[in-house]
Amino acid sequence: MPTLLRIFGLRFFFYLDEHLPIHVHVECGGKLAKIEIENEVKVVYNHGLKEQELRTAVETCIIYKENFIAEWHKRFG
């Protein structure tokens, strides 16, 4: 699982067999969320992240959106 970024206790990553639409997974203390970043940044699911953690994850995705999308294209074409 390629890690894209670790910040504020959150780990942003891709799985090795990803699919469209472009998205990232976020892990924090064993809790997971999936955030779509292709068009608008939006939460696909949240399995346990606290409200503040999820808000920080979304804000981070907005800031790093272009970097994450570039990494997606490097890895998955």
Side-chain angles (χ1 to χ4, degrees):
M1 294 184 286
T3 297
L4 302 167
L5 178 69
R6 287 183 191 269
I7 190 169
F8 306 121
L10 302 168
R11 181 173 71 97
F12 296 79
F13 65 96
F14 297 139
Y15 285 110
L16 296 176
D17 59 346
E18 288 292 7
H19 55 84
L20 294 173
I22 299 173
H23 61 277
V24 296
H25 298 271
V26 183
E27 184 270 333
C28 181
K31 302 166 283 187
L32 296 170
K34 178 178 172 181
I35 301 175
E36 186 176 320
I37 59 172
E38 187 166 22
N39 297 310
E40 64 177 301
V41 174
K42 64 181 178 182
V43 176
V44 176
Y45 65 72
N46 175 25
H47 294 297
L49 268 72
K50 296 177 184 172
E51 185 179 327
Q52 179 60 40
E53 293 168 332
L54 190 60
R55 187 177 317 115
T56 300
V58 169
E59 290 170 359
T60 302
C61 284
I62 291 168
I63 293 167
Y64 288 92
K65 178 179 177 173
E66 296 306 318
N67 299 61
F68 291 166
I69 289 173
E71 283 296 318
W72 176 282
H73 287 297
K74 274 197 240 177
R75 297 169 192 273
F76 307 111

